[in-house]
Structure formats: C-alpha cells, structure tokens
Amino acid sequence: MVVYCVLAMALFADCSCEEVMRRLVEGLSWASGSRAPWQVPSNAAIFLARRRLGPEPLVSLFSEVASPLAGPGAAGALYRDLRLVSIDPTCIEVPDTEANDQRFGRASSGRGEGVGAYPQLRLVGLAECGTHVLLKVSAGACSDGEQTLAGGVVDALKDGMLCLADRGLYSFSLWNRVRGTGAELLWRMKSNQRLPVLERFPDGSWRTEIFASDDRKRQE
C-alpha cells in the first residue's frame, strides 16, 4: 500500500498525502467489492510508513519495470531500424532539510546573488525518445558533473539503439565507453572542437578523428 501511495503522490503532486491515500483507498474498496473496508490514515502515519519503507523497494521496482515501451510504428520512437534514446541532464529541487543540504548542496543563482532557496540534486537520465520513458537514471549533488553522472546510465545502452546527446555531455572517454555498448551515437559537439575533414561525403557530412586532447602525441 505504501509503495502504491508513493507512486500515486507523483501522479497527484498537488494533493496532500492524506488526499492521495484517500483516492487509493476508494479504488481498493471498489476493487474488493466493498468487502474490505479501508480507513484513511493520518498524514503523520503516512510519513512514518514512508520512512519505514525506505528507498530500496522503489529502486528495485524501477529496475524491474524500466524498459523500452514503444512498439513498431510509434511516433518518434525509431529512426529506420534503430530505437531512439537520449541522455539528458536536469536539476530537481528537494525538501529544505539539513540532510539534503549536506548531501546535494545548493546551486548558485544565475545573478550572482548567493545560492538557491532549496537544495538541488542533479539527475542524468537515459530515456526512450518516443515515449519519454526513463530506462536508467543516475543522481548526485548539484555540483557533480553531467559527464560523470552520465557514466552511470550508459551501461543500459545496447545494440540497435541510436543514442542522442547534447554538446555538454561529450568527452573523449565517455564517447569511447558508449561506443563499447554497441549503440550508434549522434552527439552534438562544442563549436570550438577541432574536427578535421578527412573525407567528405555526398550529403555534406565528413569523416573525422577525435583525440583525447589537441596534442596527438597524447592520444589515448
């Protein structure tokens, strides 16, 4: 019941915990033919139940069900025979507690006026483009680098996927690691990246080489 409640709280984010539980109770009562009466617990009782539950069952549930959902012909899901997925970072505000402050930190404001009002975690997700379903996530402090966190999701890539990523995620080591999964890659590069034209193709694209640094003697 508590797992259902936590999931429903994400669906009904504007409702109190007690209201979310009330909606669940009504559904369970109806499903049982009103043979099993349910009493809505208090907010305090729900809070304590969530604490007893802990994160492990939800992590296990996500690992069990997170998988591509788009079938053949789904809009935006496939490019030719390749399943479109993307790696994308974001920041999420978390409750203003001392523990969250110490664990995740606060991002500085864009105006240079100190730090934000709430702690923030940085999250990098691997998502299926056609359905926006998350296949794997990696979370850390707001000061953690996007490329570092992206390393926690690339193992979910596999042959038959076309992985999209923005320019902030490119690094030589991460690119090579993702290549090893068998997935095809289509990543943006920074405008100052050196991409020498070694061979130009009829469609205007070209073959190039990338190195660990501008110094070819330090190529990895």
Side-chain angles (χ1 to χ4, degrees), residues 70-92:
L78 299 173
Y79 174 72
R80 297 185 178 179
D81 295 329
L82 298 173
R83 184 176 299 275
L84 291 174
V85 297
S86 63
I87 301 176
D88 200 23
T90 187
C91 287
I92 300 175

Side-chain angles (χ1 to χ4, degrees), residues 21 51-52 86 89 109 118 133 180 185 199:
M21 183 63 79
R51 173 174 287 183
R52 290 193 299 270
S86 63
S109 67
Y118 292 91
V133 167
L185 309 184
E199 180 183 2

Side-chain angles (χ1 to χ4, degrees), residues 45-199:
I46 297 173
F47 170 80
L48 293 174
R50 290 177 62 195
R51 173 174 287 183
R52 290 193 299 270
L53 178 71
E56 289 80 8
L58 295 169
V59 172
S60 178
L61 177 62
F62 178 80
S63 300
E64 188 71 23
V65 303
S67 61
L69 296 180
L78 299 173
Y79 174 72
R80 297 185 178 179
D81 295 329
L82 298 173
R83 184 176 299 275
L84 291 174
V85 297
S86 63
I87 301 176
D88 200 23
T90 187
C91 287
I92 300 175
E93 291 184 343
V94 294
D96 189 6
T97 65
E98 183 177 351
N100 283 338
D101 205 359
Q102 293 178 354
R103 172 64 181 87
F104 302 112
R106 300 176 188 244
S108 58
S109 67
R111 304 174 185 175
E113 299 174 352
V115 295
Y118 292 91
Q120 289 186 339
L121 66 82
R122 188 180 300 278
L123 180 145
V124 172
L126 174 67
E128 184 181 46
C129 294
T131 62
H132 297 176
V133 167
L134 285 171
L135 307 178
K136 196 168 184 180
V137 296
S138 176
C142 64
S143 58
D144 289 343
E146 296 175 356
Q147 296 173 5
T148 300
L149 293 175
V153 303
V154 297
D155 291 340
L157 291 166
K158 58 185 66 176
D159 185 40
M161 290 181 172
L162 173 59
C163 176
L164 314 178
D166 210 346
R167 59 187 180 184
L169 288 172
Y170 170 77
S171 74
F172 183 86
S173 58
L174 185 61
W175 173 273
N176 275 344
R177 180 177 170 185
V178 179
R179 284 182 61 206
T181 65
E184 303 293 336
L185 309 184
L186 181 58
W187 291 15
R188 291 183 64 188
M189 306 287 283
K190 294 182 179 179
S191 59
N192 60 356
Q193 189 80 34
R194 291 188 178 182
L195 299 174
V197 179
L198 302 181
E199 180 183 2

Side-chain angles (χ1 to χ4, degrees), residues 3-35:
V3 171
Y4 279 134
C5 183
V6 173
L7 297 177
M9 286 171 63
L11 297 176
F12 305 107
D14 295 334
C15 299
S16 67
C17 297
E18 195 170 351
E19 173 62 17
V20 171
M21 183 63 79
R22 184 187 65 78
R23 298 187 181 194
L24 282 177
V25 166
E26 289 180 349
L28 290 172
S29 178
W30 174 84
S32 67
S34 299
R35 293 188 303 270

